[in-house]
Amino acid sequence: MHPPTPGDVPPPHRQALRAIAAFEALKGFAALAASLGFVGLLPHDLHHIVASLIGHIGLAPGDRYPAMVLTDIDHLMGTNLKPLLLAAAAYVLVRFAEAYGLWQDRWWGEWLGALSGALYIPFELWHFAHRPSVASAAVALANMAIVGFLGQQLWRRRRQSP
């Protein structure tokens, strides 16, 4: 089965694929920046930095929620962070691979986008069911629309292949 060539994509579909690709690349760059920022903070006293930030915004570090955050920071710093950093690196690589595949109109980019987007839908729906908001509805609907569009693209490819 030979997938259609990139020139077989109608211009509006190509624009949609490129918009999705740009969004996925943006998510990849944001995750990369956050990961590098986190790695850059590791040699420092994160407990002190977070306590200072909490005080700077007008909260007392001893209050319930700020204290919970500080406890979580202390637990995080006492664990092996390699799995977390490897997961972050994998996420960044998947986002960039998906962005490239969609931008270049590759069938595997559409599969990767549809599968990775579909993985989030149950969690987004659960979140909306338990904490309904316009934002959570918008995120779930946008993701379902993207997964649906990519599924339609894959179906179109399948029907066009000889």
Side-chain angles (χ1 to χ4, degrees), residues 28-73:
F29 281 117
L32 179 61
S35 299
L36 292 175
F38 180 70
V39 168
L41 288 174
L42 288 179
H44 303 287
D45 182 0
L46 285 183
H47 184 97
H48 177 73
I49 292 170
V50 172
S52 296
L53 287 172
I54 288 170
H56 183 71
I57 61 172
L59 298 174
D63 288 348
R64 181 178 179 192
Y65 293 114
M68 289 171 56
V69 169
L70 290 172
T71 300
D72 288 345
I73 291 290

Side-chain angles (χ1 to χ4, degrees), residues 20-33 91-92 95-96 98 116-117 120 143 146:
I20 297 168
F23 183 63
E24 294 303 323
L26 179 65
K27 289 186 338 189
F29 281 117
L32 179 61
Y91 179 85
V92 169
R95 292 299 126 228
F96 287 155
E98 180 182 346
S116 68
Y120 291 108
N143 193 29
I146 289 170

Side-chain angles (χ1 to χ4, degrees), residues 53-119:
L53 287 172
I54 288 170
H56 183 71
I57 61 172
L59 298 174
D63 288 348
R64 181 178 179 192
Y65 293 114
M68 289 171 56
V69 169
L70 290 172
T71 300
D72 288 345
I73 291 290
D74 292 339
H75 286 0
L76 179 67
M77 297 314 298
T79 62
N80 180 6
L81 296 175
K82 238 182 221 181
L84 177 65
L85 295 174
L86 287 173
Y91 179 85
V92 169
L93 289 173
V94 167
R95 292 299 126 228
F96 287 155
E98 180 182 346
Y100 175 82
L102 291 172
W103 192 270
Q104 297 297 322
D105 187 39
R106 302 291 197 258
W107 64 269
W108 56 264
E110 292 166 3
W111 270 108
L112 185 58
L115 289 174
S116 68
L119 287 174

